[in-house]
């Protein structure tokens, strides 16, 4: 199943067609996982020819041979994009996301768009109009979400790398569930232009890959200022893939509250403790700190993200594109029926929640207060990074759970407990494989670093993956 | 009690909300340009149509324009600027929210000085000026029972100027709007065209009894597409509110629409049922920092405005107030006048030329002064010839000016020579023309001598014809009178 990219495995590859063929076969043989919504096989084969010619003429870009899948939240001109939602059924995008443009310019091949939770809202990929994605390791389990298809596709060799989005853990959590690498860079490091919005001040383009090398390579291509995304960060990105050796002694922090949380699975707790002991034995400094705001991060996250989502999803009104209810009789019923029929239950829940927290008389109590807490947490993390390099956390409280295991939305929300702090603060965070539980399900380890320290984070993560 | 007496018991309190569409090359947050009258949906990018994945980009020019207006209105310019989302559903609003400013407008606490009648001035306080994007247009019933949508206007940049309730009558509203239009036109940030909607005005109107301490319930009136209609709507609304109160009714908090065909306002909607806009900070736009350096750059780009021209023209050039007002109505006209004044000291004559022959020529051709081909120096040359007594006014306007229009670059002296327009002061020649005319009109001479003195003008006209307009009028009329005695 392991299908490594030519970049990380075999730099002097000759035949791009066979690379693509392997991916297409893996997609075909594992259709049951439901990872892809659309596969652009004919187009990919054609592109492979063009790129092969470039390779033969030594004119190929630096991602030649890389096969990439994109979550169904990324726009790719003249290709469908639906955000996993019925409301965009049949919609063909007229634009290409900046990050997709950048990898195509470096001769990567886009192989298809991947299943996900509707508009990125979910932690199990069960909230998709196209049905759930199954975990490649155990098909009775979920793949995680919301970038479930993207994680499953990488794990099962359907593509080398996937683009996901991470608003509260949607790249890191499925990466942990599927046993791969999932990076959420610093907020604003990668342009959001062309990515369907869920919560604009949290949404981050993320990278799912088999290894750190691929992740770093993609990041250095796609990071950077983009005039089309006003919020994108102006600082020049580094050549992350050039320097992935970690030779320093690191100062590492873990939080008492994360490890003592009663929702945390004992095997995950043990695996992180074991890692901490190894780190100490290698001469790294590991400090236990307190994170008293941990319990506030989920509520504040749900207030702010749903508020933003309630506005971001207003454009899906059936007027200019997408689904329009055939049962409408007037303007109001068109709005109501289109959105009632077009959106899934979780999306509707979040729109309603967001609408209510922004309502007159509630704004200060919810949105205003949540914004304040967000700042407090941000300041707290800033302070930690003044004297420490990394924060270690579990990625998830449990390993991949059964399909339909969470009937209650709050219990589902709890699966984001450890990923949300980095989303709230915007710091870069990565999930890397860290062993398995007794059922053979992967365990993820999360590493966080200070803003824009992706270079250090990637190098340290690679080092961590070698420590056993 | 007579109606006027009742009206006098009340004080109207009026504030305006003025939307000025900024004439920038691109929309507020997207790269295409809005042009009035373009075919529907021809100026609509993916951003304007709120396609999934699109994001707003900031139009820096629009920010500069807003700051310009703020500086002219003596406003405080806000340093740290954020936008807000105003959420509501309507088909002409593609994103389902309008990007606007909420708590911290880019400009605040300014004022505009308006001219009242009888040379009085009044300072009207400006509460705020903020930036926002326009909506599209919903066109109802062009096809029966259907609504068509035109998104060309969606995303066009607007500033909204909100005044304090400082206006006491409809005329003051008229003057304020007139002043604002003049300012935006001088600044060239908006074409000020109310008919095309590039300048729009809503009026908040209430009335209170003279002895009352608190303002009455205000009513918002919309849909007035000329400055005159704003005045009429306010007049109507004041009387309507007073009548309601006199009947013992209370004024409802509502939005009313002005109907220009009957001059009345009608209820559009009650304010209580208005939606809650759920404003929150726009997360897709980074805060915009406006520093002193930027403000100073913009300050230095502000042109001379009507008020400065007016005081220069009245004080330095000693123009009558009437002339100065008329000429400063239009920036290009004021600039043209100033250019003439570089070449002549006879400012009043320059003003007369502008308000007389030049204006009527422009009106005839329905063109703007900027399209007028005669350069100011030429007009100054004509004025000099007249002042030197070499040319009379009548031949200058009737013969020379039309010739010059056909040949705007030709030297004035040359035309005057070619057309033989140099004024004739030689009394021998003048006598000859007079005698010829007398010979040709013996009966009229008789009548004149019998007392019909009004015929003098007829004789003068005939003499002018004979002299092809060159006879010096004052010498001629003096001579004529002597001869006819």
């Amino acid at each position: 199943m392991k299908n490594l990219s030519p970049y990380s495995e075999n730099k002097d590859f000759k035949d791009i067609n066979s690379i693509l063929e392997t991916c297409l076969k893996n997609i075909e043989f594992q259709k049951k996982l439901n990872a892809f919504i659309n596969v652009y096989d004919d187009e990919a084969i054609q592109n492979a020819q063009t790129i092969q010619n470039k390779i033969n003429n030594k004119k190929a870009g630096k991602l030649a041979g890389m096969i990439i899948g994109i979550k169904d939240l990324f726009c790719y001109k003249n290709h469908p994009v639906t955000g996993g939602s019925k409301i965009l059924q049949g919609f063909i995008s007229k634009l290409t996301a900046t990050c997709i443009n950048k990898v195509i310019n470096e001769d990567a091949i886009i192989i298809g768009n991947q299943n996900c939770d509707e508009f990125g809202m979910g932690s199990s990929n069960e909230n998709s109009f196209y049905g759930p994605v199954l975990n490649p390791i155990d098909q009775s389990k979920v793949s995680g979400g919301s970038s479930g298809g993207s994680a499953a596709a990488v794990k099962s060799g359907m593509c080398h790398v996937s683009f996901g989005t991470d608003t509260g853990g949607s790249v890191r959590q499925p990466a942990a569930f599927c046993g791969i690498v999932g990076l959420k860079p610093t907020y604003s490091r990668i342009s959001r232009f062309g990515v369907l919005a869920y919560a604009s001040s949290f949404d981050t383009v993320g990278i799912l890959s088999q290894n750190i090398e691929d992740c770093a390579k993609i990041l250095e291509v796609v990071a950077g200022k983009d005039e089309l995304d006003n919020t994108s960060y102006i600082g020049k990105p580094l050549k992350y893939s050039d320097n992935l050796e970690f030779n320093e002694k690191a100062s590492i922090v873990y939080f008492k509250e994360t490890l003592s949380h009663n929702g945390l699975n004992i095997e995950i707790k043990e695996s992180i403790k074991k890692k901490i002991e190894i780190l100490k034995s290698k001469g790294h400094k590991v400090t236990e700190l307190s994170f008293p705001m941990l319990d506030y991060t989920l509520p504040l996250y749900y207030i702010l993200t749903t508020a933003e989502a309630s506005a971001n999803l207003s454009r899906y009104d059936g007027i200019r594109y997408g689904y329009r209810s055939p049962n409408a009789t007037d303007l109001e019923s068109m709005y109501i029926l289109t959105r009632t029929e077009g959106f899934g239950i979780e999306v509707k829940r979040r729109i309603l929640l967001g609408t209510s927290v922004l309502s007159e008389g509630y704004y200060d109590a919810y949105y205003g207060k949540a914004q304040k807490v967000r700042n407090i947490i941000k300041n707290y993390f800033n302070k930690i990074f003044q004297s420490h390099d990394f924060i270690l956390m579990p990625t998830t409280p449990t390993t991949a759970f059964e399909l339909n295991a969470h009937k209650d939305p709050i219990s589902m929300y709890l699966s984001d407990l450890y990923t949300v702090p980095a989303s709230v603060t915007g710091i870069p965070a990565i999930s890397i494989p860290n062993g398995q539980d007794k059922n053979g399900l992967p365990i993820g380890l999360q590493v966080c670093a200070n803003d824009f320290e992706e270079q250090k984070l990637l190098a340290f993560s690679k080092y961590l993956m070698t420590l056993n | 009690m007579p109606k006027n007496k009742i009206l006098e018991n009340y004080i109207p309190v009026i504030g305006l909300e003025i939307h000025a569409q900024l004439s920038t090359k691109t929309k507020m947050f997207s790269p295409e340009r809005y042009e009035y009258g373009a075919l529907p949906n021809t100026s609509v990018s993916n951003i304007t149509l709120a396609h999934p994945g699109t994001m707003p980009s900031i139009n820096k020019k629009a920010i500069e324009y807003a700051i310009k207006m703020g500086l002219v209105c003596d406003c405080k310019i806000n340093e740290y600027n954020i936008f807000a989302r105003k959420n509501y559903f309507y088909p002409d609003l593609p994103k389902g929210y309008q990007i606007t400013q909420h708590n911290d407008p880019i400009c605040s606490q300014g004022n505009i000085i308006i001219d009242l009648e009888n040379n009085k001035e009044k300072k009207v306080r400006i509460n705020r000026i903020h930036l926002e994007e326009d909506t599209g247009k919903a066109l109802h019933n062009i096809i029966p029972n259907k609504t068509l949508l035109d998104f060309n206007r969606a995303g066009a940049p607007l500033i909204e100027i909100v005044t304090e309730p400082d206006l006491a009558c409809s005329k003051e509203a008229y003057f304020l709007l007139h002043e604002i239009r003049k300012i935006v036109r001088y600044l060239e940030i908006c074409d000020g065209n109310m008919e095309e909607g590039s300048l729009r005005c809503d009026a908040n109107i209430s009335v209170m009894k003279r002895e009352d301490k608190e303002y009455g319930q205000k009513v918002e009136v919309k849909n007035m597409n000329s400055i005159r209609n704003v005045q009429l709507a306010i007049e109507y609304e004041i009387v309507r509110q007073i009548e309601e109160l006199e009947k013992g009714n209370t004024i409802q908090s509502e939005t009313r629409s002005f109907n220009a065909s009957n001059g009345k306002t009608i209820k559009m909607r009650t304010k209580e049922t208005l939606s809650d806009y759920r404003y929150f900070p726009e997360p897709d736009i980074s805060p915009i920092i406006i520093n002193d350096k930027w403000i100073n750059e913009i300050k230095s780009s502000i042109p001379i405005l009507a008020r400065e021209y007016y005081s220069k023209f009245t004080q330095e050039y000693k123009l009558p107030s009437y002339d100065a007002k008329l000429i400063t109505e239009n920036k290009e006209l004021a600039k043209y006048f100033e250019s003439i004044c570089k070449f002549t000291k006879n400012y009043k004559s320059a003003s007369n030329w502008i308000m007389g022959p030049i204006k009527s020529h422009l009106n005839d051709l329905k063109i703007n002064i900027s399209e007028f081909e005669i350069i100011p120096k030429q007009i100054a040359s004509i004025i000099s010839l007249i002042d030197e007594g070499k040319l009379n006014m009548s031949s200058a306007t009737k013969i020379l000016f039309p010739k010059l229009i056909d040949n705007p670059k030709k030297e004035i002296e040359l035309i005057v020579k070619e057309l033989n327009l140099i004024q004739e002061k030689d009394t021998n020649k003048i006598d000859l023309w007079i005698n010829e005319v007398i010979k040709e009109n013996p009966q009229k001479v008789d009548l004149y001598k019998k007392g019909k003195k009004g015929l003098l003008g007829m004789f003068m006209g005939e003499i002018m014809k004979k002299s092809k307009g060159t006879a010096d009028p004052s010498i001629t009329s003096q001579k004529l009178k002597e001869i006819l005695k």
Side-chain angles (χ1 to χ4, degrees):
Chain A
M1 224 195 270
K2 206 163 186 182
N3 173 18
L4 294 175
S5 81
Y7 171 75
S8 57
E9 266 302 275
N10 167 23
K11 291 186 185 181
D12 289 325
F13 68 98
K14 292 277 180 326
D15 182 14
I16 190 169
N17 287 313
S18 69
I19 294 173
L20 178 62
E21 209 174 301
T22 309
C23 291
L24 288 171
K25 264 187 195 146
N26 284 338
I27 293 175
E28 187 58 34
F29 292 153
Q30 297 166 96
K31 261 196 168 154
K32 207 182 156 209
L33 296 181
N34 200 17
F36 276 85
I37 299 172
N38 296 285
V39 179
Y40 312 136
D41 40 4
D42 291 343
E43 197 184 316
I45 291 164
Q46 256 181 28
N47 288 338
Q49 288 298 342
T50 316
I51 295 164
Q52 184 67 54
N53 289 337
K54 285 189 185 176
I55 293 169
N56 298 343
N57 295 320
K58 302 211 179 314
K59 280 185 176 158
K62 60 175 157 184
L63 295 181
M66 195 83 104
I67 312 296
I68 297 179
I70 59 177
K71 188 181 185 177
D72 189 29
L73 288 173
F74 288 83
C75 296
Y76 182 16
K77 195 173 178 175
N78 300 327
H79 293 75
V81 62
T82 70
S85 179
K86 179 182 174 184
I87 209 155
L88 278 176
Q89 216 184 343
F91 180 75
I92 306 293
S93 186
K94 292 186 173 170
L95 53 105
T96 301
T98 300
C99 56
I100 306 298
N101 247 335
K102 284 181 165 180
V103 295
I104 290 173
N105 287 340
E106 292 293 343
D107 290 330
I109 290 174
I110 307 298
I111 196 167
N113 67 340
Q114 296 157 332
N115 201 348
C116 61
D117 281 306
E118 190 177 359
F119 292 109
M121 298 180 187
S123 309
S124 66
N125 218 120
E126 292 167 299
N127 301 333
S128 168
F129 177 60
Y130 303 95
V133 177
L134 309 184
N135 194 308
I137 293 149
D138 175 349
Q139 297 192 4
S140 70
K141 303 287 189 297
V142 301
S143 58
S146 65
S147 312
S150 307
V154 169
K155 182 64 190 179
S156 50
M158 301 174 180
C159 55
H160 304 127
V161 170
S162 294
F163 277 118
T165 62
D166 190 315
T167 305
S170 282
V171 160
R172 290 162 284 160
Q173 189 255 23
F177 278 13
C178 293
I180 59 168
V181 170
L183 170 72
K184 180 198 90 75
T186 315
Y187 175 77
S188 80
R189 180 66 290 184
I190 299 174
S191 168
R192 290 185 285 126
F193 185 83
V195 185
L196 273 57
Y198 157 19
S200 308
S201 76
F202 294 79
D203 289 348
T204 309
V205 172
I207 300 160
L208 300 106
S209 60
Q210 294 272 12
N211 51 46
I212 297 292
E213 286 83 354
D214 284 351
C215 183
K217 194 77 188 167
I218 296 290
L219 181 64
E220 74 185 35
V221 170
V222 298
K225 180 72 189 169
D226 176 18
E227 292 308 320
L228 296 173
D229 173 3
N230 180 274
T231 64
S232 60
Y233 179 60
I234 196 135
K236 273 226 154 69
L238 303 172
K239 294 204 81 187
Y240 303 103
S241 65
D242 279 1
N243 189 9
L244 290 174
E245 300 309 311
F246 192 84
N247 301 315
E248 300 156 46
K249 293 289 174 238
S251 174
I252 301 145
V253 166
Y254 70 90
F255 295 129
K256 195 172 65 195
E257 289 81 354
T258 55
L259 292 193
S260 64
H261 202 275
N262 56 18
L264 180 61
N265 170 299
I266 185 79
E267 287 179 90
I268 296 178
K269 185 173 168 177
E270 290 312 316
S271 80
I272 192 167
K273 276 188 165 168
K274 198 177 132 203
K275 210 62 154 195
I276 287 168
E277 288 316 310
I278 299 174
L279 281 167
K280 279 182 184 165
S281 73
K282 300 277 178 188
H284 301 284
K285 198 178 128 208
V286 184
T287 315
E288 184 187 84
L289 287 181
S290 176
F291 179 33
M293 303 80 130
L294 178 66
D295 283 341
Y296 299 106
T297 55
L298 273 178
L300 99 81
Y301 168 82
Y302 276 96
I303 289 169
L304 295 180
T305 55
T306 57
E308 292 180 16
S310 72
N312 280 333
L313 271 57
S314 293
R315 66 188 58 195
Y316 307 112
D317 55 9
I319 287 176
R320 296 165 314 286
Y321 50 74
Y323 175 77
R324 180 190 291 180
S325 172
N327 308 315
T329 51
D330 59 5
L331 181 62
E332 196 173 329
S333 70
M334 180 169 88
Y335 279 127
I336 294 172
L337 293 174
T338 296
R339 290 167 67 82
T340 304
E341 294 162 14
F343 286 133
I345 179 80
E346 182 61 26
V347 169
K348 279 184 275 199
R349 181 181 291 127
R350 295 195 195 190
I351 290 173
L352 290 174
L353 183 57
T355 304
S356 104
V357 299
L358 286 174
S359 299
E360 216 175 319
Y362 293 95
Y363 181 91
D364 290 336
Y366 291 106
Y367 188 91
K369 196 165 265 178
Q371 203 64 274
K372 277 182 199 146
V373 179
R374 189 181 192 182
N375 287 333
I376 291 170
I377 296 176
K378 178 67 186 165
N379 291 336
Y380 186 73
F381 273 60
N382 282 345
K383 230 171 101 188
I384 292 173
F385 285 120
Q386 278 173 15
S387 37
H388 303 283
D389 301 305
F390 305 108
I391 300 171
L392 281 193
M393 274 194 263
T395 309
T396 54
T398 67
T399 51
F401 43 83
E402 300 273 326
L403 287 152
N404 299 313
H406 292 286
K407 301 271 189 282
D408 164 25
I410 302 291
S411 79
M412 183 74 93
Y413 294 172
L414 270 172
S415 64
D416 295 335
L417 179 69
Y418 299 124
T419 48
V420 158
S423 299
V424 165
T425 53
I427 57 172
I430 192 169
S431 177
I432 54 175
N434 189 31
Q436 302 166 348
D437 69 5
K438 58 180 183 295
N439 300 318
L441 290 169
I443 292 171
L445 172 66
Q446 187 181 202
V447 194
C448 308
N450 201 0
D451 287 340
F452 305 108
E453 288 196 337
E454 282 85 358
Q455 178 74 78
K456 212 166 112 181
L457 178 64
L458 289 167
F460 183 62
S461 299
K462 188 182 166 192
Y463 167 75
L464 270 181
M465 284 170 77
T466 63
L467 294 184
N468 279 310
Chain B
M1 199 161 20
K3 205 171 173 185
N4 278 348
K5 264 275 187 283
I6 297 173
L7 294 181
E8 271 170 27
N9 288 341
Y10 288 89
I11 308 172
V13 177
I14 304 155
L16 301 183
E17 289 172 18
I18 296 137
H19 285 91
Q21 202 171 65
L22 302 176
S23 47
T24 53
K25 291 194 184 80
T26 64
K27 290 185 179 179
M28 188 67 232
F29 302 110
S30 55
E32 74 276 22
R33 182 180 202 149
Y34 166 65
E35 253 168 286
Y36 179 83
L39 281 173
N41 297 311
T42 51
S43 192
V44 288
S45 66
N46 296 326
I47 298 176
T48 295
L49 292 177
H51 272 224
T54 54
M55 296 178 72
S57 299
I58 281 278
N59 174 352
K60 211 178 150 195
K61 259 283 170 300
I63 293 179
E64 287 183 16
Y65 282 10
I67 296 174
K68 255 187 201 180
M69 190 64 192
L71 289 172
V72 169
C73 299
D74 212 14
C75 286
K76 218 176 77 197
I77 309 296
N78 192 26
E79 187 189 350
Y80 183 86
N81 287 276
I82 56 165
F83 285 89
R85 291 184 182 178
K86 178 181 179 179
N87 296 284
Y88 65 95
F89 284 99
Y90 198 70
D92 67 8
L93 187 71
K95 293 187 291 294
Y97 56 85
Q98 179 194 31
I99 306 179
T100 177
Q101 291 189 288
H102 185 45
N103 289 330
D104 303 295
I106 185 163
C107 314
S108 57
Q109 293 165 37
N111 56 71
I112 291 179
I113 294 166
I114 57 169
D115 297 315
L116 304 179
E117 282 150 325
N118 50 43
N119 279 332
K120 280 193 180 136
E121 288 182 341
K122 176 169 179 166
K123 195 182 256 190
V124 179
R125 290 172 302 152
I126 301 297
N127 173 291
R128 61 187 281 162
I129 301 174
H130 72 249
L131 274 161
E132 61 186 25
E133 57 176 341
D134 212 338
T135 61
K137 274 183 187 165
L139 309 158
H140 304 290
N141 290 319
I142 287 179
I143 299 171
N145 300 318
K146 297 233 183 257
T147 294
L148 301 177
L149 293 165
D150 177 7
F151 290 106
N152 280 349
R153 199 182 65 177
L158 296 176
I159 48 172
E160 181 175 340
I161 306 164
V162 182
T163 77
E164 296 291 350
D166 285 355
L167 305 165
C169 64
S170 62
K171 273 220 168 123
E172 292 188 3
Y174 180 95
F175 292 134
L176 175 66
L177 209 46
H178 187 264
E179 186 66 26
I180 286 177
R181 185 171 66 178
K182 203 152 63 178
I183 294 172
V184 296
R185 283 179 171 169
Y186 262 78
L187 290 174
E188 294 178 43
I189 61 174
C190 166
D191 67 24
N193 192 329
M194 286 192 76
E195 288 73 25
E196 293 179 0
S198 30
L199 194 68
R200 303 197 280 271
C201 176
D202 302 335
N204 288 306
I205 304 157
S206 67
V207 296
M208 62 197 279
K209 283 213 159 146
R210 294 204 171 266
E211 62 270 23
D212 286 350
K213 294 244 159 25
E214 278 176 26
Y215 291 152
Q217 174 61 53
K218 73 175 179 194
V219 167
E220 187 181 18
V221 182
K222 286 179 176 292
N223 293 333
M224 300 155 290
N225 68 348
S226 72
I227 299 187
R228 175 78 185 138
N229 282 346
V230 172
Q231 189 183 355
L232 293 174
I234 292 172
E235 271 163 28
Y236 176 85
E237 187 58 22
I238 291 170
V239 174
R240 185 192 71 85
Q241 289 185 19
I242 293 174
E243 280 174 358
E244 288 293 323
L245 292 171
E246 287 291 317
K247 277 186 223 157
N249 297 333
T250 52
I251 301 299
Q252 301 300 311
S253 172
E254 62 189 13
T255 301
R256 300 179 69 86
S257 173
F258 179 67
N259 181 346
S261 59
N262 62 11
K264 292 180 177 173
T265 65
I266 49 161
K267 180 173 167 172
M268 279 170 81
R269 54 175 181 255
T270 321
K271 286 264 180 185
E272 273 79 40
T273 60
L274 266 187
S275 44
D276 169 4
Y277 290 124
R278 307 189 308 278
Y279 286 99
F280 74 98
E282 164 59 276
D284 280 338
I285 300 172
S286 299
I288 296 152
I289 312 296
I290 301 170
N291 57 24
D292 288 344
K293 187 174 165 265
W294 195 13
I295 292 176
N296 287 331
E297 275 170 29
I298 295 166
K299 221 178 236 167
S300 64
S301 75
I302 292 175
I304 300 174
L305 299 180
R307 283 194 170 271
E308 289 167 70
Y309 276 126
Y310 177 83
S311 39
K312 186 177 183 185
F313 295 171
T314 49
Q315 285 162 27
E316 204 177 305
Y317 298 161
K318 306 283 181 222
L319 281 195
S321 165
Y322 176 83
D323 292 38
K325 273 245 163 74
L326 219 123
I327 291 172
T328 57
E329 241 349 273
N330 176 311
K331 178 182 173 181
E332 299 305 318
L333 212 58
K335 279 165 88 174
Y336 192 92
F337 171 75
E338 243 215 329
S339 302
I340 304 177
C341 295
K342 278 189 193 133
F343 304 102
T344 177
K345 294 269 176 293
N346 192 344
Y347 308 123
K348 177 61 182 144
S349 180
S351 160
N352 291 344
W353 271 92
I354 285 190
M355 297 195 302
I358 295 177
K359 265 234 147 178
S360 68
H361 170 71
L362 299 179
N363 289 344
D364 287 349
L365 269 74
K366 294 195 170 65
I367 58 169
N368 198 285
I369 185 81
S370 53
E371 299 160 87
F372 184 52
E373 283 184 70
I374 301 173
I375 59 169
K377 198 180 171 187
Q378 296 278 70
I379 303 294
S381 301
I382 301 176
I383 293 171
S384 300
L385 283 179
I386 295 170
D387 289 351
E388 288 160 20
K390 289 183 183 160
L391 183 66
N392 69 48
M393 190 66 190
S394 130
S395 43
T397 54
K398 292 201 183 92
I399 305 168
L400 173 60
F401 188 63
K403 272 282 167 207
L404 192 59
I405 285 167
D406 293 339
N407 209 342
K409 298 218 167 80
K410 198 159 179 180
E411 210 183 311
I412 300 291
E413 301 257 9
L414 205 66
I415 307 178
V416 169
K417 259 186 208 144
E418 278 176 15
L419 293 173
N420 209 11
L421 292 178
I422 292 292
Q423 199 150 268
E424 193 51 73
K425 292 175 194 284
D426 183 339
T427 45
N428 291 334
K429 279 195 184 165
I430 291 173
D431 282 352
L432 264 171
W433 289 322
I434 293 174
N435 287 328
E436 273 180 43
V437 170
I438 286 175
K439 259 186 214 156
E440 285 163 14
N441 297 286
Q443 288 159 333
K444 298 234 166 90
V445 173
D446 254 17
L447 283 171
Y448 179 87
K449 285 185 174 166
K450 281 175 186 154
K452 208 161 178 195
K453 301 291 178 207
L455 283 167
L456 194 73
M458 190 279 300
F459 290 121
M460 282 295 286
E462 289 300 308
I463 297 161
M464 280 300 166
K465 261 189 214 159
K466 289 230 175 286
S467 72
K468 296 205 174 81
T470 62
D472 183 306
S474 69
I475 299 174
T476 308
S477 95
Q478 199 191 331
K479 275 274 169 195
L480 182 65
K481 282 180 198 160
E482 277 172 23
I483 290 169
L484 284 175
K485 240 176 207 166

